[in-house]
Amino acid sequence: MDIHLLNALGITNCALFRCHSNDDIECLTSDLGWLHGVVLLDDQRRLVKSDIPSLFLTDFFIDANEVWQGDAAFTLSSGFWTERINDTELRLEALAINSGAQSRYLVIKNVEDEFNDKRKTLQAARELLLSHHEIVGQHEYIRHKLNDVLRKNNRLQRLVPPIQQAIYDLDTGVVIIDAKGHLVLDNKAAHRLLVCNSTTPSSTRIDELLNILDASQSFLPSLIKKKAPWQGEVFWQPVGSFNAWLQLTIHPVLQGTQLTHWVYLFTDITHIHNKREKVLSASGMDSLTNVASRGIFLNTVR
């Protein structure tokens, strides 16, 4: 292994050491300014192991020695750590490498770029989570408000025009169906998201959505029995040219134990799914299975 190989692997800002023995560790790379705050080198560019400025690296050597003394090929990573040197923060990672062919190496990497990329990925993940929680919270608020209105106005006789207009103008899709399956009320957002028209009303689209969910015949009755809503995500493709991920809430409205209405709420979360795929890809996870990719698996077990 040499610096040219490390460069080919994309490990460019690093120091490479050959371990002739536990106490004879030779630096093979040219001088790096940031390295002086992490290790000390003697006149022969040997690492002065008895006087290592970095306490973290000192602890790492305890495990690294076991790797170098073994016979099996193995690479141990320290993980990222931070060193403060002259008011400058360094993001570093150390690798103890046993090639399995009587070759032992130490690599100390300056991973500032990788650290920043990971921080951006984590920030994107936090924003993603907050966006999803905000949508779920909106559904919960609307569900409670509609539940109160419908329980007080069983036949919507006193659902005055301002309330109807407020529902119609919501960005969240709303479909209200009575206990017999007849459409009571929907809004323009539901028409847009469900792709409704004069021949395909929102009540028909609701049946199609339930089929997509592969809901059993006991699904809706179970919600009535539990007096609880259901929330989830569904991939919706009613026509060939339109598809979207929908956040869906299904809520039974009850008078005592008697069902009066079903309330369906929809929000387009396609942008969240697209961002989620980017975050998973950046973090080394497979976007389809949410399982660690082959690359991250190999990095973990190497």
Side-chain angles (χ1 to χ4, degrees):
M1 180 183 293
D2 58 25
I3 191 62
H4 301 293
L5 176 57
L6 292 176
N7 288 338
L9 293 173
I11 308 175
T12 54
N13 196 3
C14 70
L16 173 64
F17 298 80
R18 181 188 295 275
C19 303
H20 300 287
S21 69
N22 284 349
D23 296 317
D24 184 8
I25 302 176
E26 177 188 5
C27 183
L28 303 179
T29 50
S30 58
D31 190 43
L32 295 168
W34 56 264
L35 185 62
H36 296 293
V38 183
V39 298
L40 295 179
L41 302 178
D42 63 17
D43 294 340
Q44 285 74 45
R45 297 190 59 76
R46 255 57 176 185
L47 188 147
V48 182
K49 200 172 178 183
S50 60
D51 188 9
I52 299 175
S54 170
L55 294 177
F56 188 96
L57 192 59
T58 299
D59 289 339
F60 176 70
F61 271 117
I62 297 174
D63 295 325
N65 287 336
E66 294 184 9
V67 173
W68 292 326
Q69 291 170 4
D71 295 326
F74 190 76
T75 297
L76 175 69
S77 170
S78 66
F80 293 173
W81 89 91
T82 301
E83 292 285 347
R84 180 173 289 276
I85 301 170
N86 297 327
D87 296 327
T88 300
E89 284 192 344
L90 293 177
R91 315 294 183 179
L92 303 169
E93 180 187 15
L95 302 175
I97 303 171
N98 184 338
S99 71
Q102 302 302 316
S103 295
R104 311 290 188 262
Y105 296 95
L106 169 69
V107 178
I108 302 177
K109 301 163 54 180
N110 188 325
V111 291
E112 185 69 27
D113 291 341
E114 295 176 48
F115 178 85
N116 288 334
D117 287 344
K118 180 167 287 190
R119 184 166 56 183
K120 290 177 182 177
T121 298
L122 291 174
Q123 179 62 28
R126 283 192 290 268
E127 292 173 357
L128 182 67
L129 188 61
L130 289 173
S131 297
H132 188 262
H133 281 180
E134 181 180 357
I135 290 172
V136 171
Q138 289 172 351
H139 277 216
E140 280 295 288
Y141 177 80
I142 295 170
R143 180 180 71 81
H144 282 294
K145 289 295 183 182
L146 288 177
N147 187 69
D148 291 342
V149 169
L150 291 169
R151 290 183 66 185
K152 294 175 182 177
N153 306 275
N154 192 12
R155 298 180 181 274
L156 299 183
Q157 291 174 344
R158 290 186 290 129
L159 192 58
V160 294
I163 295 178
Q164 293 183 5
Q165 189 62 46
I167 295 173
Y168 188 72
D169 290 336
L170 282 174
D171 291 333
T172 300
V174 177
V175 176
I176 302 174
I177 295 174
D178 66 20
K180 296 181 180 179
H182 301 140
L183 178 65
V184 175
L185 184 69
D186 56 12
N187 66 358
K188 59 183 178 182
H191 287 192
R192 174 174 54 82
L193 292 174
L194 297 179
V195 192
C196 300
N197 52 46
S198 57
T199 59
T200 311
S202 54
S203 56
T204 299
R205 292 301 196 201
I206 292 296
D207 290 337
E208 294 175 3
L209 264 176
L210 292 174
N211 287 333
I212 289 175
L213 289 175
D214 196 22
S216 65
Q217 292 184 350
S218 63
F219 174 64
L220 295 180
S222 71
L223 299 184
I224 299 173
K225 183 177 180 180
K226 292 186 292 185
K227 298 182 180 181
W230 179 89
Q231 291 184 334
E233 301 174 8
V234 59
F235 182 71
W236 175 236
Q237 191 172 16
V239 294
S241 59
F242 177 88
N243 62 76
W245 280 97
L246 300 180
Q247 178 70 32
L248 170 63
T249 296
I250 304 174
H251 172 58
V253 179
L254 304 172
Q255 290 281 6
T257 59
Q258 186 67 35
L259 176 73
T260 63
H261 299 88
W262 286 102
V263 173
Y264 294 85
L265 304 176
F266 316 87
T267 300
D268 187 346
I269 58 169
T270 304
H271 65 291
I272 291 180
H273 262 264
N274 291 340
K275 191 172 184 178
R276 180 183 299 166
E277 289 187 4
K278 292 180 181 178
V279 169
L280 288 172
S281 177
S283 63
M285 304 294 284
D286 184 88
S287 61
L288 179 63
T289 63
N290 286 354
V291 174
S293 66
R294 178 181 177 86
I296 197 171
F297 171 77
L298 292 176
N299 284 337
T300 301
V301 302
R302 66 184 178 177

